[in-house]
Amino acid sequence: MMLLLGGTAEARALARSLEGLRFTSSLAGRVARPRMPVGETRIGGFGGVDGLRAYLRDEAVTAVVDATHPFAAGISRNAALACAAEDVPLLRLERPGWSTRPDADGWHWVASHEEAAATTATLGHRPFLSIGRQGLAPFVEPLRDVPALVRVVDEPEVALPTAWTLLRSRGPYDLASERALLAEHDVDVVVTKDSGGDHTVAKLDVAAERGAAVVVVRRPAPPEGVETVSDVDDAAAWARARS
């Protein structure tokens, strides 16, 4: 049995490619209404490295594909440690980031949400925070009196300043809708993570059109020694070879 650590569009595409094989997709459960992949699914954590090691043994897992979000550093680290300890093959499927875009050299690249908040406070007057609900806390004090636009899928975990506008929405987003949104709120700073992919990239295209500043949180470093691919077909071929 294969274990697919998912929750991303790439994980759902891989699950479709693996129909007919025995595998279980695992979702962290941090989104209230996740898009579900095909096939058998489990939701929730494993209980750290030891819990994941026990799961690999108990379920006789023969291979693991880590197709979690580029910023899900915890589960990726745990998967690397657990698979190494149990001698289970591990592949990382990770979408390419946005650093190769022609306009990326002009962005404000930062190492953390805290640094992103401090940088954003020095840029423009109407920021658009598109960083996920779990990353909002560091922005509250630096931007408390700033009319920020905040877009999240689920309700934020922190109380937001009264000056902020909350928009609950789920992508993908197209160019026309992002253009209308940023114009409506007169956005002059776009704040995001280097999530990569096509589902939310339109905001960066619109930022370039508007001449808005862009603040981007860099991806965490991946676990060392884990084979990584960016193409779903390559991941499917790797998984089928180990089924």
Side-chain angles (χ1 to χ4, degrees), residues 42-93:
R42 69 176 299 278
I43 296 179
F46 292 94
V49 175
D50 290 342
L52 182 50
R53 289 185 64 181
Y55 181 89
L56 297 177
R57 292 193 302 269
D58 294 345
E59 299 297 327
V61 173
T62 56
V64 177
V65 179
D66 174 14
T68 56
H69 192 275
F71 281 80
I75 183 59
S76 292
R77 180 180 61 252
N78 290 351
L81 293 172
C83 287
E86 298 298 323
D87 197 26
V88 174
L90 170 64
L91 179 73
R92 170 69 176 156
L93 170 60

